[in-house]
Amino acid sequence: MRLNLVVFLFFSTRILVAQDNYPQDAFQSPLEIPLILAGTFGELRSDHFHSGIDIKTQQREGLPVMAVADGTVTRIKVSLWGYGKVIYVAHPNGYTSVYGHLKKFGPELEEYVKKVQYDKQSYEVEMFPDYGELKVTKGDVIAYSGNTGGSAGPHLHFEIRSSVSEKPTNPLLYGYEVRDATNPTVLGLFGYPLSDGALINQSAKTTQINFTKQPDGSLLADKVSALGTIGFGINSFDRQDLAANKNGVYSVKQTVNGRVYSEFDFETFSFGETRYINTLIDYPYFYKNRQRIQKCFKEPYNHLDIYKSLYNNGKIDIEEGMSYQVELLISDIEGNITKLIIPVEGKREPQKVAKDDNRTDDFIIADKPNNFDLGAAKVYFPANTFYEDFYINLKKGTDTIAIHDNSVAAHRNFTISFDPSKYPLEERKQLFIAHLDEDLRPSYSKTYKRDGSFTTRTRTLGTYTLVRDSVAPTIRPKNFKEKQWLSNYSYLSLDISDDLSGIDTYSATLNGEWILMEYEPKTNTITYNFDDKILNTNECELKVTVTDNVGNSNTFTSTFFRK
């Protein structure tokens, strides 16, 4: 009990020290409801760390979103993916607050954005207002919560960044209260033999280690026998009160016989290094099992700056005849801690499980460019596309090629170039480079056609081929019919979809004038709000044109009436 109290006081003191670096009463809540989180800062996401907190909005859209302090709007963006509709507000104290996945903007900002959209005749826009042009006051309603962009459900994505460095910091360090009295949960513990000849429980491969919960709440792993240089990793999550979401933990600390070997936390990070998340996690395990193991050791190619302490890069040298007690302390930002104790005995034993032999005919040297001719296509990997050297599995073909698989993470884009010369010219117009999933279903990879070559740039390894799309997109009205009176309607809605290459562009006119259609790819819906333009005639002609990624186009026309 005394040890647990000491650990709690240590972490609580560290968090309080971190909070002292940030103003505690400068920012109000962006919502009028209690803060219940669907996502935490630094949470492990695909190819990036989560740069803010996701605040639940009671499964609703349209909640008022307020400026957390006086400031000026410095950026507004409307996009189909990412943050969707998002506002950036710079504050006099040197911080910028960010509000994402919005349904719509407040009246003044909505008018400002709509003007730009109509001037550019584009739904997707990005604006950088002059400093002081769009001032806001603390508590002003600047927007309404939504589900736009890459959001998987209604919520508010909220960030606080440095206005100078643009580095995001954990918003919960600024005095926001989120109820959390629950210790983090550990789902799995894994041991990694790291040096030549190293073994863990007689295995040269990554090994899962069992553990049990003790009466004092700590976790005790089964005794590990090992030799050589090893490391540990954990699969864990944190759960706040009033929510069932499995959110990210705040910090992980590893000690060996009382000495700190590694410690990292999510106080802040840089957007420039966020893709190095793929070096913090066991990426091959994630590819196979869709679960992220955080390594408690640092690889040579890991350039993350989240570490507070490192000794021997968190790797443990196990000597024969020696005993070690490894402790992992997993904490949330409120100081709730789960302790995992791993007893390790240095023991020389015969190997029972050998490493997989992954050797192939082709070898990637990560810090040098690599070119390969695969018959149907050529592949070019710029220097530092990958994090480390490895044997790559390549398969040539006359139509289809295979470039390893996604158990290896690519840090940079590489180039695939197909030769389409065997296809007739007319047919080439409808061809695109497609990535095939495990069931051989094609998905469009942005294809550039020039100089008799089809090229795509991607970070996704796997199987690629050329696919023909000869079918135009479909357009269907959702809430109205031909020749219908729509006097009591506030909006028009249509379904647009494409069965293969995907939608590239769409446009709509009403009585010959361009109108703004808001596109929601998650529901394949475009929507026009009648408030946008005053119609000066009872009879209205709507024209919608949709084009897919290879140029197939379809046009829908309809006449309706309004008073």
Side-chain angles (χ1 to χ4, degrees), residues 6 21 96 159 162 166 170 177-178 202 206 231 233 281 301 329 337 369 395 485 501 526 535-536 544:
V6 170
N21 296 326
T96 292
E159 296 180 19
S162 164
E166 295 189 352
N170 197 319
E177 293 186 8
V178 175
Q202 298 182 274
T206 301
I281 67 171
Y301 44 84
L329 301 176
I337 302 159
K395 293 182 180 178
W485 279 91
S501 63
I526 55 174
L535 304 178
N536 56 11
V544 178

Side-chain angles (χ1 to χ4, degrees), residues 19 21-31 35 53 66-72 89-99 136-139 158-163 169-177:
Q19 288 175 332
N21 296 326
Y22 305 100
Q24 296 299 293
D25 56 2
F27 301 123
Q28 71 163 62
S29 173
L31 295 173
L35 297 185
I53 56 175
M66 297 169 291
V68 297
D70 294 352
T72 181
V89 178
H91 306 286
N93 59 3
Y95 295 100
T96 292
S97 55
V98 182
Y99 315 77
V136 298
T137 301
K138 186 174 185 177
F158 176 68
E159 296 180 19
I160 297 179
R161 304 180 181 183
S162 164
S163 297
T169 48
N170 197 319
L172 299 186
L173 293 171
Y174 293 82
Y176 290 114
E177 293 186 8

Side-chain angles (χ1 to χ4, degrees), residues 31 33 55-61 63 145-146 154-156:
L31 295 173
I33 59 175
I55 306 172
K56 287 176 172 284
T57 55
Q58 302 174 339
Q59 299 181 340
R60 295 185 291 157
E61 297 184 38
L63 273 63
S145 67
H155 72 276
L156 175 67

Side-chain angles (χ1 to χ4, degrees), residues 31 100 144-145 164 195 231 299 308 316 328 332 374 409 412 476 520 556:
L31 295 173
Y144 297 89
S145 67
V164 177
S195 61
E299 303 278 19
K308 303 298 181 184
I316 309 166
L328 303 181
D332 62 29
L374 301 183
R412 299 178 59 187
R476 292 188 297 269
E520 179 47 81
F556 168 87

Side-chain angles (χ1 to χ4, degrees), residues 408-425:
V408 174
H411 189 73
R412 299 178 59 187
N413 283 324
F414 59 93
T415 301
I416 306 171
S417 299
F418 277 84
D419 179 4
S421 59
K422 69 178 183 179
Y423 297 94
L425 286 173

Side-chain angles (χ1 to χ4, degrees), residues 347-402:
K347 193 173 181 181
R348 188 175 299 278
E349 297 177 306
Q351 176 180 289
K352 289 186 176 180
V353 181
K355 285 185 176 180
D356 294 331
D357 186 355
N358 295 319
R359 286 176 294 183
T360 67
D361 293 336
D362 298 297
F363 189 72
I364 291 288
I365 300 175
D367 64 356
K368 297 184 181 301
N370 295 265
N371 282 286
F372 299 95
D373 188 341
L374 301 183
K378 293 180 172 62
V379 183
Y380 171 66
F381 300 109
N384 301 310
T385 297
F386 301 104
Y387 299 105
E388 59 180 331
D389 301 346
F390 71 102
Y391 284 99
I392 188 168
N393 188 20
L394 300 170
K395 293 182 180 178
K396 296 182 178 181
T398 55
D399 297 296
T400 302
I401 63 168

Side-chain angles (χ1 to χ4, degrees), residues 319-560:
E319 299 180 12
E320 186 177 3
M322 300 291 289
S323 295
Y324 306 81
Q325 178 162 300
V326 181
E327 292 188 2
L328 303 181
L329 301 176
I330 303 102
S331 172
D332 62 29
I333 199 166
E334 293 297 323
N336 301 304
I337 302 159
T338 295
K339 179 167 68 172
L340 173 54
I341 302 169
I342 313 166
V344 181
E345 181 182 356
K347 193 173 181 181
R348 188 175 299 278
E349 297 177 306
Q351 176 180 289
K352 289 186 176 180
V353 181
K355 285 185 176 180
D356 294 331
D357 186 355
N358 295 319
R359 286 176 294 183
T360 67
D361 293 336
D362 298 297
F363 189 72
I364 291 288
I365 300 175
D367 64 356
K368 297 184 181 301
N370 295 265
N371 282 286
F372 299 95
D373 188 341
L374 301 183
K378 293 180 172 62
V379 183
Y380 171 66
F381 300 109
N384 301 310
T385 297
F386 301 104
Y387 299 105
E388 59 180 331
D389 301 346
F390 71 102
Y391 284 99
I392 188 168
N393 188 20
L394 300 170
K395 293 182 180 178
K396 296 182 178 181
T398 55
D399 297 296
T400 302
I401 63 168
I403 309 168
H404 208 78
D405 58 47
N406 272 324
S407 62
V408 174
H411 189 73
R412 299 178 59 187
N413 283 324
F414 59 93
T415 301
I416 306 171
S417 299
F418 277 84
D419 179 4
S421 59
K422 69 178 183 179
Y423 297 94
L425 286 173
E426 283 303 309
E427 191 172 324
R428 288 183 213 174
K429 296 177 182 179
Q430 297 176 327
L431 290 175
F432 65 93
I433 299 175
H435 175 261
L436 303 181
D437 66 13
E438 293 178 354
D439 297 319
L440 301 182
R441 291 173 300 195
S443 60
Y444 177 79
S445 186
K446 189 173 181 61
T447 304
Y448 302 90
K449 302 179 180 182
R450 54 179 175 263
D451 299 329
S453 176
F454 289 3
T455 301
T456 189
R457 300 180 70 245
T458 179
R459 291 190 183 99
T460 304
L461 301 179
T463 304
Y464 286 85
T465 190
L466 290 178
V467 171
R468 185 184 181 192
D469 181 0
S470 60
V471 179
T474 60
I475 308 169
R476 292 188 297 269
K478 293 184 70 172
N479 72 333
F480 67 98
K481 297 178 181 178
E482 175 73 8
K483 302 292 187 179
Q484 186 176 352
W485 279 91
L486 304 180
S487 300
N488 296 324
Y489 280 50
S490 59
Y491 66 92
L492 287 178
S493 182
L494 297 96
D495 178 281
I496 61 173
S497 60
D498 187 76
D499 66 344
L500 199 51
S501 63
I503 291 170
D504 181 29
T505 64
Y506 70 95
S507 64
T509 61
L510 197 57
N511 295 336
E513 293 187 55
W514 186 89
I515 57 172
L516 175 67
M517 283 279 192
E518 298 207 5
Y519 181 28
E520 179 47 81
K522 295 191 288 288
T523 59
N524 297 321
T525 302
I526 55 174
T527 303
Y528 166 68
N529 189 324
F530 280 119
D531 289 340
D532 283 359
K533 274 186 176 289
I534 299 173
L535 304 178
N536 56 11
T537 179
N538 289 341
E539 184 173 347
C540 306
E541 182 178 329
L542 174 69
K543 181 179 179 181
V544 178
T545 300
V546 181
T547 304
D548 66 19
N549 279 298
V550 296
N552 298 310
S553 184
N554 191 13
T555 298
F556 168 87
T557 59
S558 180
T559 300
F560 61 88

Side-chain angles (χ1 to χ4, degrees), residues 191-205 207 209 223-232 315-324 326 343-351 353 355:
Y192 293 82
L194 299 176
S195 61
D196 291 339
L199 296 176
I200 295 177
N201 293 341
Q202 298 182 274
S203 174
K205 297 171 65 174
T207 302
I209 302 165
K223 180 175 282 189
V224 173
S225 63
L227 200 66
T229 302
I230 68 171
F232 291 102
K315 300 174 182 179
I316 309 166
D317 297 321
I318 305 297
E319 299 180 12
E320 186 177 3
M322 300 291 289
S323 295
Y324 306 81
V326 181
V344 181
E345 181 182 356
K347 193 173 181 181
R348 188 175 299 278
E349 297 177 306
Q351 176 180 289
V353 181
K355 285 185 176 180

